[in-house]
Amino acid sequence: MNTIRLAVDGVNKIYAGQATRVVAVEDASAAFAEGSVTAIMGPSGSGKTTLLSILGLILKPSNGRVTLMGRDVTDLDEARLPELRRQHIGFIFQSFNLFSALSALENVLVALQLKKVARPEAEAAARSALSRVGLEQRMRFYPRDLSGGEKQRVSIARALATNAPIILADEPTANLDSHTGLAIIDLLAELAREQGRTVVVVTHDTRMQEHVDHTLRMEDGRVYEN
Ligand SMILES: Nc1ncnc2c1ncn2[C@@H]1O[C@H](COP(=O)(O)OP(=O)(O)O)[C@@H](O)[C@H]1O
Ligand SMILES: [Mg+2]
């Protein structure tokens, strides 16, 4: 059994407004091991993004526990969370979230600067991550000159370069054609296997299932093992 890097136990998330109350996640428990790729699937509105945000320490659950790298972080001081996130978690988004005024290389460097990695080391790590995702010929390109799949590769390189042991991806293939989308999922799976990263990827493409190790299904905020 590989080490569990990230886990939620009995997690609920309730969004309460003045006249509204949405139970977005209900009694969710799941554990994510080193070197594994887990897909979270389910219809729109089923709570996938909310659960991923809890896993990424962006949202606090209303109840339940979150464990990161063996440590219960549920009640940790808010002020310490950004540093924990930077150290342990790389995010990949549907919309790529690249800076349009920065080249592919600079987009990856920004993430390393946030971690205060010294310049020569940062440059080497950024180049190596971009090469790993097949963009060695595109390092000086700006996002506008990259295809959707290439832009998503830059954001994967950004998550990789920081050495984050955990990679959380929210519908990273939603803006890509299905062929490119599958290539992205395969790349994430390869990275998990080669580098022991823990990858959690939200998708609603059922064909992704055979490319991952585990699938969790969400429906109305509840998590089901597939
Ligand atoms: N900030 C919020 N305030 C109130 N309700 C929200 C908020 N974010 C999400 N929701 C609701 O929570 C439910 C789950 O949303 P979400 O986690 O985004 O689902 P998914 O990613 O599966 O589409 C939905 O009913 C959504 O409308
Ligand atoms: Mg979502």
Side-chain angles (χ1 to χ4, degrees):
M1 182 69 198
N2 284 335
T3 317
I4 298 298
R5 286 209 173 127
L6 184 59
V8 284
D9 187 21
V11 155
N12 291 321
K13 182 69 191 182
I14 297 160
Y15 293 112
Q18 283 187 330
T20 56
R21 186 174 180 277
V22 177
V23 182
V25 173
E26 190 169 6
D27 196 23
S29 298
F32 305 92
E34 181 182 346
S36 71
V37 189
T38 305
I40 299 178
M41 310 196 68
S44 180
S46 59
K48 304 180 301 293
T49 293
T50 303
L51 181 61
L52 204 72
S53 305
I54 292 170
L55 288 168
L57 313 185
I58 291 171
L59 269 185
K60 260 196 198 300
S62 309
N63 313 94
R65 315 304 302 175
V66 184
T67 308
L68 172 69
M69 311 303 278
R71 167 180 181 204
D72 188 331
V73 294
T74 320
D75 299 321
L76 220 61
D77 188 341
E78 294 276 344
R80 308 201 27 212
L81 296 179
E83 179 54 30
L84 266 188
R85 274 201 297 271
R86 270 198 295 277
Q87 242 182 348
H88 297 293
I89 301 171
F91 291 95
I92 298 167
F93 302 94
Q94 175 178 336
S95 51
F96 319 130
N97 284 18
L98 301 179
F99 293 105
S100 59
L102 301 183
S103 69
L105 182 63
E106 289 161 343
N107 264 284
V108 178
L109 279 171
V110 163
L112 293 161
Q113 279 158 0
L114 279 174
K115 285 191 79 176
K116 308 211 168 19
V117 178
R119 183 69 190 211
E121 196 190 321
E123 181 117 8
R127 287 176 181 282
S128 149
L130 283 161
S131 300
R132 177 60 195 83
V133 301
L135 291 179
E136 53 277 86
Q137 305 301 326
R138 295 284 184 277
M139 297 206 197
R140 297 290 174 191
F141 281 48
Y142 288 85
R144 64 174 175 274
D145 298 321
L146 295 168
S147 69
E150 288 168 344
K151 281 190 274 225
Q152 198 53 293
R153 284 171 190 273
V154 175
S155 74
I156 293 172
R158 187 173 53 189
L160 287 182
T162 62
N163 276 325
I166 297 163
I167 295 180
L168 302 180
D170 196 357
E171 303 202 31
T173 64
N175 288 332
L176 306 175
D177 65 76
S178 60
H179 175 76
T180 309
L182 276 180
I184 291 292
I185 297 290
D186 277 337
L187 173 60
L188 289 170
E190 268 174 46
L191 294 169
R193 275 159 215 144
E194 265 174 36
Q195 307 182 350
R197 311 243 188 187
T198 301
V199 177
V200 184
V201 53
V202 170
T203 168
H204 35 226
D205 188 336
T206 47
R207 289 165 317 148
M208 304 294 174
Q209 250 173 295
E210 45 200 278
H211 299 254
V212 303
D213 302 312
H214 310 282
T215 304
L216 300 176
R217 271 201 65 76
M218 287 198 79
E219 256 166 62
D220 294 331
R222 291 193 162 264
V223 174
Y224 302 91
E225 295 269 347
N226 229 23

